Amino acid sequence: MVEPTVRGYANMLRYGWDMEPEYAYLAREADGTAVGLLAVGVNTYDNTNQIWIDVDVHPDHRGRGVGSALVEYAEGFARELGRDTVGYGCIDLPKADAFARRHGFVQKAIEVNRRQDLTGLDWDVVQRLYDDAVAASTAYELTKLTGPLPEELLEDMVTLTASINDAPKDDLDMEDDVYSPGRLRAYEEAQSKSEHTVYRVIAREKSTGALAGHTVISVERERPHLGEQHDTAVDRAHRGHRLGALVKSAMLLWLREAEPALTQVDTWNAESNNHMISINEQLNYKIVARILAYQKKI
């Protein structure tokens, strides 16, 4: 996982993913020494019965109840908001898993962080993947965009973005994500204010103009060698035409020219999302970390 810079973390606290920044609480010793950090995500677009937390304790101060105190604080915060579920994620390590279970969390899913090393990417493989996908998707054409979506695409992009809800949730107690024009604009605003350039490749059906699939990558301006895959989804009515492979390979060929400093891209998938993982593995993505996702009713 890529750690943020000071500037990047400050932007995250100001703007979040889509203008809903996390709450952050710092645990300190009596002398002011920082010993722990609690981050709390409070979504107001959907899943308004829950919060999601991250708990980090400095290695020199573990085993003294700091993490437990932060979890207790988060649960109290959830109750104040009228929410009954706390979600928690941690790296797949025995001590982290034991901590979660000790505090009553139940494992519900596994997310896998994969990283693409563009310096070791075989571009002939990318080109072949793109050419094969083009041959299988002759009824579609591609649109490439940076920055805000054109107004005439906004409503259709709301529907297409919601296709991500078909991705596996495993055993997570989660409602579908809810999208709107306002939320998509908020995402664009947050990324811009956080000094990220957003690249979109959108597949459109030629005969109807319907938006069929898309992929999104955000590139840092502070560290332009780093990118993050934000979304890849294909509308259910348009599956079976290799559109996922088409937009992902087209994105890479575009970024090779548009972002010559870019050397790595991180992506996240449910461990059970075999279809998307198979495409990613063709594109030189390697596992960096496994994240165990837990939930707890309070």
Side-chain angles (χ1 to χ4, degrees):
M1 294 179 292
V2 176
E3 295 297 330
T5 63
V6 171
R7 190 162 114 197
Y9 192 75
N11 284 333
M12 184 172 63
L13 292 178
R14 293 187 183 105
Y15 312 118
W17 176 269
D18 48 15
M19 300 306 292
E20 282 197 342
E22 292 181 332
Y23 296 80
Y25 302 92
L26 195 62
R28 295 181 181 272
E29 297 278 27
D31 64 0
T33 301
V35 297
L37 177 66
L38 168 68
V40 184
V42 181
N43 196 344
T44 63
Y45 295 109
D46 47 58
N47 290 288
T48 56
N49 69 312
Q50 53 192 274
I51 66 172
W52 279 81
I53 67 172
D54 287 316
V55 176
D56 293 294
V57 178
H58 191 283
D60 293 344
H61 299 275
R62 291 173 184 164
R64 298 168 49 195
V66 175
S68 297
L70 292 174
V71 170
E72 183 179 352
Y73 186 90
E75 292 177 2
F77 184 52
R79 292 188 182 95
E80 289 177 8
L81 295 174
R83 304 196 174 202
D84 64 5
T85 302
V86 178
Y88 171 63
C90 65
I91 295 176
D92 183 10
L93 294 171
K95 287 185 177 180
D97 178 62
F99 175 84
R101 296 181 186 279
R102 188 165 65 249
H103 289 88
F105 289 94
V106 178
Q107 185 185 327
K108 299 285 189 174
I110 300 173
E111 292 282 330
V112 180
N113 176 200
R114 286 178 170 81
R115 178 167 299 158
Q116 183 182 50
D117 176 10
L118 297 179
T119 65
L121 186 59
D122 186 336
W123 289 99
D124 289 338
V125 170
V126 179
Q127 188 66 53
R128 284 197 300 273
L129 187 65
Y130 174 75
D131 292 341
D132 290 346
V134 168
S137 58
T138 56
Y140 299 86
E141 60 188 2
L142 295 179
T143 298
K144 299 174 184 176
L145 298 170
T146 58
L149 287 163
E151 194 65 31
E152 64 270 18
L153 292 184
L154 189 58
E155 288 287 352
D156 288 343
M157 279 301 300
V158 169
T159 302
L160 180 57
T161 303
S163 299
I164 197 66
N165 286 315
D166 290 340
K169 296 183 176 69
D170 296 330
D171 295 326
L172 286 169
D173 180 15
M174 298 280 288
E175 302 170 351
D176 283 350
D177 294 341
V178 176
Y179 295 97
S180 66
R183 188 174 189 180
L184 264 59
R185 290 298 190 214
Y187 163 77
E188 292 172 343
E189 180 182 359
Q191 297 304 310
S192 176
K193 288 182 172 178
S194 297
E195 303 173 87
H196 294 174
T197 301
V198 173
Y199 291 85
R200 287 184 172 95
V201 176
I202 303 169
R204 183 199 298 260
E205 190 174 36
K206 295 175 184 177
S207 62
T208 65
L211 303 188
H214 76 138
T215 192
V216 184
I217 284 182
S218 174
V219 178
E220 291 190 25
R221 296 276 57 93
E222 183 182 4
R223 299 179 294 181
H225 64 288
L226 299 180
E228 187 173 53
Q229 180 81 61
H230 281 189
D231 197 4
T232 300
V234 176
D235 184 272
R236 191 176 302 175
H238 298 276
R239 292 173 190 164
H241 302 283
R242 302 206 62 192
L243 294 181
L246 177 68
V247 295
K248 286 179 74 74
S249 57
M251 174 69 82
L252 285 172
L253 294 170
W254 182 23
L255 289 177
R256 180 170 59 167
E257 304 300 326
E259 293 283 352
L262 185 66
T263 60
Q264 71 178 53
V265 178
D266 275 33
T267 191
W268 297 82
N269 299 105
E271 191 172 57
S272 57
N273 193 348
N274 294 322
H275 176 69
M276 192 56 65
I277 289 170
S278 68
I279 297 174
N280 287 338
E281 288 180 343
Q282 292 179 67
L283 295 173
N284 201 38
Y285 277 96
K286 306 295 184 184
I287 293 176
V288 175
R290 297 169 79 247
I291 302 298
L292 306 181
Y294 302 82
Q295 288 179 307
K296 174 183 179 181
K297 289 288 186 181
I298 58 173

